[in-house]
Amino acid sequence: RALDPLLCDRIAACSLQFVLHFDARTIATILWAFSQSGCTHVEFLESLGKAANLKTAEFSVKDLCEVSFAASKLSLATTLGSCIPAAVVERVSDFKGDQLALMMHVVSRLSDSPCEYLQVLEHAILPHVPTLTPVDLRYISMAWTQARVSTEKLREAYAAR
């Protein structure tokens, strides 16, 4: 359930000065909650984005998925558009197939040059294609559309699915 937008604004106003002291899990949780509620408190979101940038190495895989999705939804590409995709690629072997599909979608939305990241993600997701759900396949399609790129091997596996 999403937070009430008025509650989000109150949380943002009260918490702004403490954002840089939040741990990685707290940052991920708040970003996720705010992305689901449609929070528009720009100063707080930018501060959370900067804090997330500093804590990227501390995120669990689940946290990284939440932060990535929230960042793409909250238009935090200028703050997290390079560190999040780089962290995803660096830890690519830690992700499950469905998470890789989501990361492909998110990276294509966050990065100014997603092709360099998508090649790694596409290679990693190939063994998982037979187990992907329609939602996962949709994420891959959206990534291809956004980035205007795809590898032949993944297209063939995708088509066979």
Side-chain angles (χ1 to χ4, degrees):
R1 192 174 143 217
L3 295 174
D4 176 83
L6 183 58
L7 179 60
C8 284
D9 284 339
R10 286 184 184 152
I11 292 170
C14 294
S15 304
L16 184 57
Q17 63 188 355
F18 303 109
V19 170
L20 291 177
H21 302 288
F22 291 166
D23 64 12
R25 182 70 201 131
T26 301
I27 293 167
T29 301
I30 293 171
L31 275 172
W32 176 255
F34 277 38
S35 73
Q36 299 305 301
S37 67
C39 176
T40 57
H41 196 287
V42 176
E43 189 178 9
F44 185 67
L45 292 174
E46 287 177 358
S47 187
L48 276 172
K50 289 175 185 172
N53 192 336
L54 296 172
K55 305 271 185 180
T56 303
E58 298 175 34
F59 290 130
S60 68
V61 168
K62 181 180 182 253
D63 293 341
L64 199 51
C65 288
E66 289 178 359
V67 169
S68 301
F69 186 79
S72 70
K73 194 170 179 180
L74 294 169
S75 302
L76 295 175
T78 55
T79 309
L80 298 170
S82 60
C83 70
I84 293 294
V88 169
V89 167
E90 184 178 304
R91 298 173 57 191
V92 71
S93 62
D94 297 341
F95 290 92
K96 298 176 190 167
D98 61 328
Q99 293 169 326
L100 287 168
L102 175 63
M103 291 299 96
M104 285 180 66
H105 170 60
V106 168
V107 163
S108 71
R109 292 187 67 193
L110 281 177
S111 177
D112 286 339
S113 54
C115 297
E116 62 188 90
Y117 303 111
L118 287 178
Q119 288 177 343
V120 174
L121 294 171
E122 287 183 353
H123 180 72
I125 204 169
L126 270 171
H128 302 281
V129 171
T131 63
L132 296 177
T133 67
V135 171
D136 301 330
L137 296 174
R138 188 172 137 237
Y139 282 141
I140 293 170
S141 295
M142 290 188 299
W144 285 340
T145 302
Q146 182 76 24
R148 296 186 185 109
V149 67
S150 63
T151 61
E152 186 175 338
K153 286 183 181 180
L154 185 56
R155 278 195 316 269
E156 289 171 0
Y158 184 96
R161 176 82 165 84

